[in-house]
Amino acid sequence: MKKITFLILFLTITFSFAQNWSTGVITFNGNYSGQVDVTPTTVTLTLIGPDDRWLGMGFGVTCMTSGNDDVVIFDGTNLTDRNYIGIGVQPAVDFSQDWTIISNTTSVGTRTLIATRARDTGDSNDFVFPAAAGGINFVWAYRGSAGFSITSHSGNRGSVSASLGIDD
């Protein structure tokens, strides 16, 4: 009986201190939105957009300039981990691919993609998501016309700042 009581007490204390943070749904424009959920060890990314073209999102940046800026692009099949190498240039594929697709569904022209990765991958090209409430900058883009080859977004792009708050 004591073992069961201690186990229940241990689990209650452990789970009561675990924190989760979320941006909630971020509307990029009328056709595209995203959400980032963070735990002390894991990040879950949800992208909701047109199901007939590539979708992209960058983390911790306000523009698509070169540097070790972290971005992901979904090409209809794969979610690739990349970094920006300059405006107007296709982001370079990272040596390590850290994202794992958990779910990829389409319905009535809309794709919902859910992927996860470690909060801190240890890779200098990857954004370290904060394990605390606060603001994060994001950039987003998607192809201007139907198709999955990584070509121009034709103005379907932008930047947004969102708050990472405690997820109840």
Side-chain angles (χ1 to χ4, degrees):
M1 183 68 178
K2 286 182 184 180
K3 289 180 185 179
I4 293 172
T5 303
F6 283 118
L7 176 62
I8 292 171
L9 180 61
F10 172 76
L11 291 174
T12 302
I13 291 171
T14 300
F15 287 112
S16 68
F17 287 108
Q19 289 279 327
N20 296 321
W21 301 270
S22 180
T23 60
V25 175
I26 308 163
T27 301
F28 302 135
N29 69 9
N31 297 328
Y32 191 25
S33 61
Q35 180 169 323
V36 174
D37 299 301
V38 181
T39 73
T41 59
T42 307
V43 174
T44 301
L45 172 66
T46 304
L47 299 177
I48 302 167
D51 68 357
D52 63 351
R53 59 198 74 205
W54 63 260
L55 306 171
M57 187 172 176
F59 313 107
V61 295
T62 57
C63 64
M64 300 172 191
T65 59
S66 63
N68 289 334
D69 304 323
D70 195 15
V71 61
V72 293
I73 297 178
F74 178 72
D75 66 6
T77 305
N78 300 302
L79 183 69
T80 53
D81 199 357
R82 298 168 175 256
N83 61 69
Y84 293 117
I85 55 175
I87 294 176
V89 181
Q90 185 179 128
V93 177
D94 287 356
F95 177 73
S96 63
Q97 294 297 303
D98 302 302
W99 291 93
T100 301
I101 295 175
I102 302 302
S103 174
N104 176 18
T105 59
T106 61
S107 177
V108 194
T110 300
R111 177 179 310 279
T112 301
L113 179 78
I114 301 172
T116 63
R117 72 154 226 215
R119 186 183 68 77
D120 182 353
T121 65
D123 183 339
S124 63
N125 287 323
D126 289 340
F127 179 71
V128 177
F129 288 87
I136 301 178
N137 294 318
F138 299 101
V139 293
W140 57 271
Y142 62 94
R143 185 178 161 131
S145 60
F148 291 101
S149 60
I150 312 299
T151 60
S152 175
H153 47 63
S154 301
N156 294 318
R157 50 109 177 102
S159 64
V160 64
S161 183
S163 292
L164 195 62
I166 294 175
D167 185 16
D168 296 329

